[in-house]
């Protein structure tokens, strides 16, 4: 079957067409240049840009896939979580398109999209692998940080999540503090490669082993207080060490809680996804770590499938349709605070 999906939960306008779980087209129009001058996403600007760009993105996604609306069997869009006014642009556009063309509509949870993005395949059906359940998934972006026990596709248990900032948000905020611009994660990654990871002493959040949640606000505050009286010249001269130290603390916290969750839930395999997993240092550390646990670990198969995209939304819709051929979510509305467990069927 052919699935057309739209994703507008934050600052990327995305459209994709899949043939089952194979990506035929995956268009992402980033709004970074519109928001970076403000140091973060401005909801009104995001909304307007989605409105202006979405029709052309959908047309391009169809064109690149070699398909037309007549070939499409299912239309999907992100329902939440995300920025309300950004979500509603894509969601309502998709719903209208589905209604006008008498195509079933599927409302998708963005976090489920990130989790399952590791199963996406290219046009030729690659990569081919078999993953055994239960899978423990770590999904880390600018909006969420969660450890999820995936008992089967569609059956999720959130076993740990952040109590305050998301890990990507913490990286973005510390980058802003260092004057590195937005989004900070990729800049920090680049600058950190030449730095020492123990330049400052940062706290280890939520130490007790029984706690599987994350907290990044203490890390960020400690970082802020240690450098707040430094001159711009001093900060500039230590940028790599500061970036490397902050990044290393965030990654250590992620891996420690992932490790404790593995010990508690005994998964058969692991996956890691979300914007922050575009970071090659984190991927390397997770690969090494998975080896120590003798578990296979899967990542999204292309770099651009880590950050927001509509291919992952189409894939969730495909799996949902496989389970329920009469699915139609056309009566639903967006939910900016949508929880993952609401997707359990
Ligand atoms: O998944 P995503 O595109 O959007 C959300 O759902 O939030 O993730 C965006 C987040 C931002 O915080 C960004 O700084 C972070 O992912 N990010 C990275 C890298 N690329 C994007 N963080 C670390 N290293 C990267 N290379
Ligand atoms: Zn995302």
């Amino acid at each position: 079957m052919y699935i057309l999906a739209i994703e507008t939960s934050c600052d990327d306008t995305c459209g994709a067409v899949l043939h089952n779980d194979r990506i035929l087209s995956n268009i992402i129009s980033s709004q970074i240049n519109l928001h970076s001058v403000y140091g973060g996403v401005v909801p009104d600007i995001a909304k307007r840009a989605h409105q202006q760009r979405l029709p052309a993105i959908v047309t391009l996604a169809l064109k690149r896939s070699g398909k037309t609306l007549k070939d499409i069997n299912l239309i999907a869009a992100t329902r939440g979580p995300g920025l309300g006014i950004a979500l509603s642009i894509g969601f309502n556009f998709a719903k209208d398109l589905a209604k006008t063309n008498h195509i079933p509509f599927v409302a998708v949870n963005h976090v489920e999209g990130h989790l399952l993005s590791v199963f996406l395949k290219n046009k030729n059906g690659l990569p081919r692998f078999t993953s055994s359940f239960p899978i423990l998934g770590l999904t880390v972006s600018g909006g969420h940080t969660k450890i999820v026990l995936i008992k089967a596709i569609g059956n999720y248990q959130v076993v740990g999540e952040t109590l305050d900032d998301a890990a990507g948000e913490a990286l973005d905020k510390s980058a802003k503090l260092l004057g590195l611009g937005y989004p900070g994660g990729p800049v920090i990654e680049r600058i950190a490669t030449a730095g020492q990871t123990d330049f400052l002493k940062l706290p280890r959040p939520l130490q007790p082993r029984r706690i599987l949640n994350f907290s990044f606000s203490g890390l960020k505050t400690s970082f802020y207080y240690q450098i707040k009286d430094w001159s711009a010249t001093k900060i500039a001269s230590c940028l790599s060490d500061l970036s490397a130290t902050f990044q290393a603390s965030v990654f250590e916290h992620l891996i420690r809680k992932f490790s404790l969750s593995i010990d508690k839930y005994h998964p058969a395999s692991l996956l890691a996804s979300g914007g922050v997993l575009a970071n090659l240092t984190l991927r390397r550390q997770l690969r090494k770590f998975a080896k120590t646990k003798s578990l296979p670990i899967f990542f999204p198969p292309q770099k651009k499938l880590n950050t927001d995209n509509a291919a992952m939304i189409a894939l969730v819709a495909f799996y949902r349709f496989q389970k329920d051929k009469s699915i139609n979510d056309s009566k639903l509305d967006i939910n900016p605070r949508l929880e993952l467990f609401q997707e359990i069927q």
Side-chain angles (χ1 to χ4, degrees), residues 13 34 45-57 89:
T13 316
L34 299 181
I45 295 179
K47 176 191 169 181
R48 233 172 304 131
H50 286 316
Q51 266 167 336
Q52 285 163 358
R53 297 176 184 190
L54 193 51
I57 295 295
I89 301 300

Side-chain angles (χ1 to χ4, degrees), residues 200-275:
L200 298 177
K201 196 161 168 45
L202 292 173
R204 294 213 158 87
L206 303 176
Q207 270 301 291
R209 294 176 60 84
R210 66 190 155 74
I211 300 178
L212 304 180
N213 289 323
F214 302 99
S215 168
F216 295 97
S217 70
L219 271 181
K220 182 192 63 192
T221 311
S222 169
F223 188 66
Y224 167 73
Y225 277 108
Q226 292 187 57
I227 65 168
K228 80 177 170 47
D229 296 327
W230 291 19
S231 68
T233 324
K234 184 170 175 192
I235 290 185
S237 69
C238 309
L239 266 185
S240 325
D241 292 335
L242 289 169
S243 300
T245 300
F246 191 79
Q247 179 179 272
S249 299
V250 169
F251 293 174
E252 187 192 312
H253 186 37
L254 288 173
I255 292 177
R256 179 172 146 78
K257 294 301 178 184
F258 199 31
S259 173
L260 291 171
S261 307
I262 293 167
D263 297 346
K264 180 163 177 190
Y265 290 98
H266 308 291
S269 55
L270 307 174
L271 68 80
S273 65

Side-chain angles (χ1 to χ4, degrees), residues 296-330:
I297 185 162
F298 305 102
F299 301 104
Q302 300 164 15
K303 192 169 177 180
K304 77 176 204 180
L305 295 175
N306 288 284
T307 43
D308 289 349
N309 65 84
M312 66 185 192
I313 303 303
L315 184 68
V316 174
F318 168 66
Y319 288 137
R320 297 261 307 276
F321 185 82
Q322 299 281 92
K323 266 199 207 152
D324 175 8
K325 300 274 190 295
S326 64
I327 192 166
N328 201 340
D329 292 336
S330 58

Side-chain angles (χ1 to χ4, degrees), residues 110 114 141-143 168-169 171-172 183-186 189 275-276 278-279 306-308:
H110 182 82
H114 275 301
S141 81
E169 189 182 357
L171 290 168
D172 293 342
E189 174 176 27
V276 179
N279 188 297
N306 288 284
T307 43
D308 289 349

